[in-house]
Amino acid sequence: MNKPLVGIVMGSDSDLPVMKNAAAVLDEFAVPWEIIISSAHRAPEKTAAYAKEAASRGLQVIIAGAGGAAHLAGVIAGHTTLPVIGVPIASGAMQGLDALYATVQMPPGIPVATVAINGARNAGILAAQIIAATQPELREKINWFKEQMARQVESKSQQLQTLGIAGYLEKMGGSKN
């Protein structure tokens, strides 16, 4: 296996159902990754060491997902110069809004790119795009990916025009309000 270029870090194993989506999209682009569980609060030394050593191990981007207080991405960003992408995870009474605020509200000098709540797939795409800035072959894969999305939208629009609203909704599996 190739040396990982992206580190995926999650604060708890309960974040894995969301964070696996970052790994899946990186696989689609053939970007090597690694994944660990580390907590900004329960394992602060481990988290700091991981962040400090990441660049020297060849990582180019870190994706950090956490719920609740969600300080993981910020703590990692405080210990590395690599780009850090935060994934707020929906959990608890606030359903991820607390994690979103904790991830996006970083002090000056400690940037964290933040995707939507449970947006690990977009975090993976963003990580690939960051790496693609210096890898033309990867940039071509991402261009193809985006062209495919545009084709799918056009195809769906044509089907809607042909089938009408009721026919399209029936094709989708029933009426959606």
Side-chain angles (χ1 to χ4, degrees), residues 52-172:
K52 289 175 183 177
E53 297 166 0
S56 67
R57 292 188 309 101
L59 293 183
Q60 295 181 16
V61 181
I62 299 173
I63 300 170
H71 295 123
L72 184 60
V75 167
I76 290 172
H79 290 286
T80 187
T81 58
L82 294 176
V84 176
I85 304 168
V87 180
I89 306 288
S91 65
M94 296 184 76
Q95 294 301 300
L97 193 56
D98 49 349
L100 174 64
Y101 287 154
T103 306
V104 78
Q105 293 294 336
M106 295 305 303
I110 310 295
V112 171
T114 307
V115 296
I117 296 169
N118 290 350
R121 183 166 173 82
N122 269 354
I125 294 167
L126 181 56
Q129 288 181 173
I130 290 167
I131 294 167
T134 59
Q135 293 189 13
E137 185 177 303
L138 179 55
R139 194 165 41 251
E140 285 301 315
K141 288 179 185 178
I142 294 169
N143 283 334
W144 182 86
F145 170 78
K146 290 189 174 206
E147 289 167 3
Q148 290 301 109
M149 285 192 306
R151 285 188 195 99
Q152 289 172 356
V153 168
E154 185 55 33
S155 174
K156 289 177 182 182
S157 181
Q158 288 176 359
Q159 288 179 28
L160 176 60
Q161 299 308 308
T162 301
L163 300 173
I165 293 171
Y168 192 89
L169 287 172
E170 184 177 320
K171 178 183 167 271
M172 289 176 64

Side-chain angles (χ1 to χ4, degrees), residues 32-50:
W33 51 270
E34 65 184 26
I35 190 164
I36 69 164
I37 299 169
S38 193
S39 171
H41 303 109
R42 294 181 296 265
E45 292 85 10
K46 176 184 178 181
T47 301
Y50 181 85

